[in-house]
Amino acid sequence: MRSSSIRTIRRAELSKAAFEAVIKFGLRGTTLDKVGEIAGVSKGVVLHHFKDKSSLLEAVFRRSNGLLSESVVELYRFAETPYERLWAIIVANFFDTIFNRRVCQAWVSLISEVPHNKQCQRIQIACNQRNQSNLKHEIKHFLPKAEALLAARHLSVLIDGLWVRAGLLSSNVSSNNAISEMEYAINKLLPSDAMDVEKHKAARNKIETVASISLSSKAFQKQTLEVINC
């Protein structure tokens, strides 16, 4: 195996360890030593691949956003209509493998660093733009172009808001409750006659069923553990 491949694998392992450290200890409590302990390597090995905590933080942002992107792509494989593709985006953002109290708290901790880290700003802006673009691409099947853009912005903001709320509250915000909040917003923002409402319900049920199988599978979990865009 080429050294570049080994280096890529090692960086992926360390990024995963850093992600786990932030979830377990919070951003302030995450140190290079603790990342090394989780990865089973010395602090020197961590420093060899990431010169400081800031660069490791950047890798964590890439990893967390990469996991979300992979989830959307996976669910897209099974979506056959604009309704189902829209719900693939929603369910991917809130499926309980990533939308749980500990991960949401870690995400809030990470987001607090965005104003102070230009590289993390760039990554987060790109992620937000991608999510909004994905939403707009599907919503344009239901609304005129200008209205589709506005609706996509509102839904994108709501997604962020639900994540922040889940990360700040002491009580757990369930995946089902978050998705139901999105369903309420969709029914208010998009055409919602009886037929549309039923189509959205059917699409949500199908995608949630697919997610419970696909995103929970060992094959997908192994795939996402290797995701990194460093």
PDB file of all heavy atoms in Angstrom, residues 104-117:
ATOM      1  N   CYS A 104     -25.666  16.193  18.933  1.00  0.00           N
ATOM      2  CA  CYS A 104     -26.171  17.565  18.800  1.00  0.00           C
ATOM      3  C   CYS A 104     -25.425  18.516  19.729  1.00  0.00           C
ATOM      4  O   CYS A 104     -25.104  19.650  19.350  1.00  0.00           O
ATOM      5  CB  CYS A 104     -27.673  17.611  19.094  1.00  0.00           C
ATOM      6  SG  CYS A 104     -28.692  16.850  17.813  1.00  0.00           S
ATOM      7  N   GLN A 105     -25.137  18.066  20.953  1.00  0.00           N
ATOM      8  CA  GLN A 105     -24.379  18.900  21.882  1.00  0.00           C
ATOM      9  C   GLN A 105     -22.973  19.153  21.341  1.00  0.00           C
ATOM     10  O   GLN A 105     -22.451  20.264  21.442  1.00  0.00           O
ATOM     11  CB  GLN A 105     -24.308  18.225  23.248  1.00  0.00           C
ATOM     12  CG  GLN A 105     -25.628  18.258  24.002  1.00  0.00           C
ATOM     13  CD  GLN A 105     -25.581  17.491  25.307  1.00  0.00           C
ATOM     14  OE1 GLN A 105     -24.757  16.594  25.488  1.00  0.00           O
ATOM     15  NE2 GLN A 105     -26.458  17.826  26.225  1.00  0.00           N
ATOM     16  N   ALA A 106     -22.361  18.126  20.764  1.00  0.00           N
ATOM     17  CA  ALA A 106     -21.026  18.286  20.184  1.00  0.00           C
ATOM     18  C   ALA A 106     -21.072  19.262  19.010  1.00  0.00           C
ATOM     19  O   ALA A 106     -20.175  20.100  18.849  1.00  0.00           O
ATOM     20  CB  ALA A 106     -20.489  16.931  19.719  1.00  0.00           C
ATOM     21  N   TRP A 107     -22.136  19.178  18.210  1.00  0.00           N
ATOM     22  CA  TRP A 107     -22.256  20.062  17.047  1.00  0.00           C
ATOM     23  C   TRP A 107     -22.383  21.520  17.484  1.00  0.00           C
ATOM     24  O   TRP A 107     -21.762  22.415  16.917  1.00  0.00           O
ATOM     25  CB  TRP A 107     -23.468  19.654  16.207  1.00  0.00           C
ATOM     26  CG  TRP A 107     -23.610  20.432  14.932  1.00  0.00           C
ATOM     27  CD1 TRP A 107     -22.898  20.263  13.771  1.00  0.00           C
ATOM     28  CD2 TRP A 107     -24.514  21.515  14.700  1.00  0.00           C
ATOM     29  NE1 TRP A 107     -23.313  21.179  12.840  1.00  0.00           N
ATOM     30  CE2 TRP A 107     -24.299  21.952  13.376  1.00  0.00           C
ATOM     31  CE3 TRP A 107     -25.479  22.141  15.476  1.00  0.00           C
ATOM     32  CZ2 TRP A 107     -25.019  22.993  12.809  1.00  0.00           C
ATOM     33  CZ3 TRP A 107     -26.198  23.184  14.929  1.00  0.00           C
ATOM     34  CH2 TRP A 107     -25.978  23.603  13.597  1.00  0.00           C
ATOM     35  N   VAL A 108     -23.188  21.773  18.523  1.00  0.00           N
ATOM     36  CA  VAL A 108     -23.323  23.137  19.044  1.00  0.00           C
ATOM     37  C   VAL A 108     -21.974  23.651  19.530  1.00  0.00           C
ATOM     38  O   VAL A 108     -21.604  24.810  19.309  1.00  0.00           O
ATOM     39  CB  VAL A 108     -24.370  23.186  20.175  1.00  0.00           C
ATOM     40  CG1 VAL A 108     -24.325  24.530  20.903  1.00  0.00           C
ATOM     41  CG2 VAL A 108     -25.770  22.960  19.617  1.00  0.00           C
ATOM     42  N   SER A 109     -21.223  22.780  20.193  1.00  0.00           N
ATOM     43  CA  SER A 109     -19.893  23.151  20.671  1.00  0.00           C
ATOM     44  C   SER A 109     -18.978  23.510  19.503  1.00  0.00           C
ATOM     45  O   SER A 109     -18.242  24.501  19.545  1.00  0.00           O
ATOM     46  CB  SER A 109     -19.293  21.992  21.476  1.00  0.00           C
ATOM     47  OG  SER A 109     -17.999  22.313  21.937  1.00  0.00           O
ATOM     48  N   LEU A 110     -19.049  22.727  18.442  1.00  0.00           N
ATOM     49  CA  LEU A 110     -18.214  22.986  17.265  1.00  0.00           C
ATOM     50  C   LEU A 110     -18.625  24.284  16.563  1.00  0.00           C
ATOM     51  O   LEU A 110     -17.772  25.084  16.163  1.00  0.00           O
ATOM     52  CB  LEU A 110     -18.327  21.816  16.284  1.00  0.00           C
ATOM     53  CG  LEU A 110     -17.630  20.514  16.672  1.00  0.00           C
ATOM     54  CD1 LEU A 110     -18.050  19.395  15.736  1.00  0.00           C
ATOM     55  CD2 LEU A 110     -16.117  20.690  16.626  1.00  0.00           C
ATOM     56  N   ILE A 111     -19.934  24.488  16.416  1.00  0.00           N
ATOM     57  CA  ILE A 111     -20.429  25.671  15.720  1.00  0.00           C
ATOM     58  C   ILE A 111     -19.981  26.952  16.407  1.00  0.00           C
ATOM     59  O   ILE A 111     -19.756  27.984  15.771  1.00  0.00           O
ATOM     60  CB  ILE A 111     -21.969  25.621  15.614  1.00  0.00           C
ATOM     61  CG1 ILE A 111     -22.385  24.581  14.578  1.00  0.00           C
ATOM     62  CG2 ILE A 111     -22.547  26.972  15.230  1.00  0.00           C
ATOM     63  CD1 ILE A 111     -21.903  24.870  13.172  1.00  0.00           C
ATOM     64  N   SER A 112     -19.812  26.888  17.725  1.00  0.00           N
ATOM     65  CA  SER A 112     -19.394  28.089  18.453  1.00  0.00           C
ATOM     66  C   SER A 112     -18.000  28.546  18.041  1.00  0.00           C
ATOM     67  O   SER A 112     -17.622  29.703  18.267  1.00  0.00           O
ATOM     68  CB  SER A 112     -19.419  27.818  19.963  1.00  0.00           C
ATOM     69  OG  SER A 112     -18.408  26.888  20.335  1.00  0.00           O
ATOM     70  N   GLU A 113     -17.234  27.652  17.422  1.00  0.00           N
ATOM     71  CA  GLU A 113     -15.883  27.995  16.989  1.00  0.00           C
ATOM     72  C   GLU A 113     -15.838  28.574  15.573  1.00  0.00           C
ATOM     73  O   GLU A 113     -14.821  29.124  15.165  1.00  0.00           O
ATOM     74  CB  GLU A 113     -14.983  26.756  17.051  1.00  0.00           C
ATOM     75  CG  GLU A 113     -14.648  26.306  18.463  1.00  0.00           C
ATOM     76  CD  GLU A 113     -13.866  27.364  19.215  1.00  0.00           C
ATOM     77  OE1 GLU A 113     -12.819  27.794  18.709  1.00  0.00           O
ATOM     78  OE2 GLU A 113     -14.324  27.785  20.289  1.00  0.00           O
ATOM     79  N   VAL A 114     -16.924  28.428  14.833  1.00  0.00           N
ATOM     80  CA  VAL A 114     -16.930  28.862  13.429  1.00  0.00           C
ATOM     81  C   VAL A 114     -16.535  30.327  13.246  1.00  0.00           C
ATOM     82  O   VAL A 114     -15.730  30.648  12.354  1.00  0.00           O
ATOM     83  CB  VAL A 114     -18.312  28.583  12.786  1.00  0.00           C
ATOM     84  CG1 VAL A 114     -18.433  29.275  11.428  1.00  0.00           C
ATOM     85  CG2 VAL A 114     -18.506  27.078  12.616  1.00  0.00           C
ATOM     86  N   PRO A 115     -17.041  31.269  14.061  1.00  0.00           N
ATOM     87  CA  PRO A 115     -16.661  32.676  13.850  1.00  0.00           C
ATOM     88  C   PRO A 115     -15.168  32.940  14.034  1.00  0.00           C
ATOM     89  O   PRO A 115     -14.668  33.969  13.569  1.00  0.00           O
ATOM     90  CB  PRO A 115     -17.484  33.424  14.916  1.00  0.00           C
ATOM     91  CG  PRO A 115     -18.618  32.525  15.239  1.00  0.00           C
ATOM     92  CD  PRO A 115     -18.051  31.141  15.132  1.00  0.00           C
ATOM     93  N   HIS A 116     -14.462  32.014  14.703  1.00  0.00           N
ATOM     94  CA  HIS A 116     -13.047  32.244  15.021  1.00  0.00           C
ATOM     95  C   HIS A 116     -12.089  31.439  14.128  1.00  0.00           C
ATOM     96  O   HIS A 116     -10.884  31.537  14.303  1.00  0.00           O
ATOM     97  CB  HIS A 116     -12.783  31.881  16.485  1.00  0.00           C
ATOM     98  CG  HIS A 116     -13.798  32.436  17.429  1.00  0.00           C
ATOM     99  ND1 HIS A 116     -13.934  33.790  17.675  1.00  0.00           N
ATOM    100  CD2 HIS A 116     -14.771  31.824  18.167  1.00  0.00           C
ATOM    101  CE1 HIS A 116     -14.920  33.986  18.537  1.00  0.00           C
ATOM    102  NE2 HIS A 116     -15.452  32.816  18.844  1.00  0.00           N
ATOM    103  N   ASN A 117     -12.647  30.654  13.216  1.00  0.00           N
ATOM    104  CA  ASN A 117     -11.815  29.785  12.383  1.00  0.00           C
ATOM    105  C   ASN A 117     -12.284  29.898  10.934  1.00  0.00           C
ATOM    106  O   ASN A 117     -13.351  29.393  10.578  1.00  0.00           O
ATOM    107  CB  ASN A 117     -11.917  28.341  12.890  1.00  0.00           C
ATOM    108  CG  ASN A 117     -10.961  27.401  12.178  1.00  0.00           C
ATOM    109  OD1 ASN A 117     -10.870  27.387  10.950  1.00  0.00           O
ATOM    110  ND2 ASN A 117     -10.243  26.598  12.952  1.00  0.00           N
TER     111      ASN A 117
END
